[in-house]
Structure formats: structure tokens, C-alpha cells
Amino acid sequence: MKKIILFVTALTLFSCKSVPLEVVKTMNLKELHTEQKDVQTALLFTPFENKVVSLQIAKGKQLAEHVTKVPALLVCVSGSGNYGDERGRKLSLKSGDYVKIEPNIKHWVDAYEDSNFLLIK
């Protein structure tokens, strides 16, 4: 788990290409790396608050509806769940999937099984 956290943090901080903020579908980390290289980087997100938070949600439980004041990136590390927001987006998440969370939009996360996420702000 520590290696995954360090990898995602390093990927976020030291990458050289970016993904547009207007992405509205769930994406998987593997989709970012299309070159035939042994080591690749890709900028996912530029942190505003410089926080990386580990989030664990038990099977059948929910991270209740809330709002973030800054853009955030939610990465599913293990397990599976669903991201939903007040705009009607409902995105299934599995290991390696991520979603960009817009500021000032109510959103929530449901876990289909015991799940771990990284929240980067």
C-alpha cells in the first residue's frame, strides 16, 4: 500500500504531460501510459492544498454527501465503488480508476466492497 501511495504522489508531482480537467468519465491509470517505455510518467492533477488522504470505506457504506472547495482527484486503490454527484454523474470505480472532482459540487462515494481510495487535493 505504501508503494502505491508513493507512486501516485510521485506521479502527480513529477509528471510532464497532463489530462484535461474536463474529463467526465472514469479513467484507469493504465490508459495514461501508451508508449512502449519501461518507465513512464503522466501528470494527473496539480494539487491546490497539497494533501494526499487515504480513505477506507467498508462494504455497503458511504462517504456521505459533501462539497470540496478545491479541485480533487479520487483514485480507487483497491476494492470497488461508485462516485456520484449532484450533476447526475454516476461513475463505477475499480482498482486503478480515478475521477476528477470539481469544486463546489455535492458528491459522495459508495463502496461495493471493502475499498481503499486516495484523495488528492
Side-chain angles (χ1 to χ4, degrees):
M1 181 70 173
K2 287 181 182 179
K3 287 182 181 180
I4 292 173
I5 293 171
L6 289 173
F7 170 74
V8 171
T9 302
L11 184 70
T12 302
L13 297 175
F14 300 109
S15 301
C16 55
K17 65 181 183 181
S18 65
V19 175
L21 187 58
E22 61 274 358
V23 173
V24 294
K25 69 176 188 99
T26 301
M27 295 192 62
N28 194 281
L29 294 171
K30 292 177 184 177
E31 296 173 10
L32 294 174
H33 306 287
T34 58
E35 298 177 41
Q36 296 299 318
K37 291 176 154 181
D38 291 336
V39 178
Q40 299 178 51
T41 63
L43 180 63
L44 288 174
F45 183 77
T46 303
F48 285 82
E49 291 184 3
N50 299 313
K51 289 183 184 179
V52 178
V53 179
S54 176
L55 173 62
Q56 181 171 294
I57 306 175
K59 178 181 180 178
K61 300 301 179 180
Q62 180 183 74
L63 172 61
E65 183 178 281
H66 62 284
V67 173
T68 179
K69 293 181 183 192
V70 298
L73 181 72
L74 180 68
V75 180
C76 182
V77 176
S78 66
S80 61
N82 183 70
Y83 167 88
D85 68 29
E86 68 181 343
R87 290 188 174 170
R89 288 200 307 170
K90 293 184 180 183
L91 304 171
S92 291
L93 299 167
K94 63 185 181 319
S95 182
D97 289 345
Y98 65 93
V99 62
K100 293 183 179 185
I101 303 172
E102 297 177 42
N104 304 312
I105 302 293
K106 288 181 192 173
H107 60 278
W108 54 92
V109 180
D110 297 296
Y112 299 143
E113 58 187 304
D114 290 347
S115 302
N116 290 93
F117 300 89
L118 289 178
L119 180 65
I120 303 168
K121 292 183 178 190

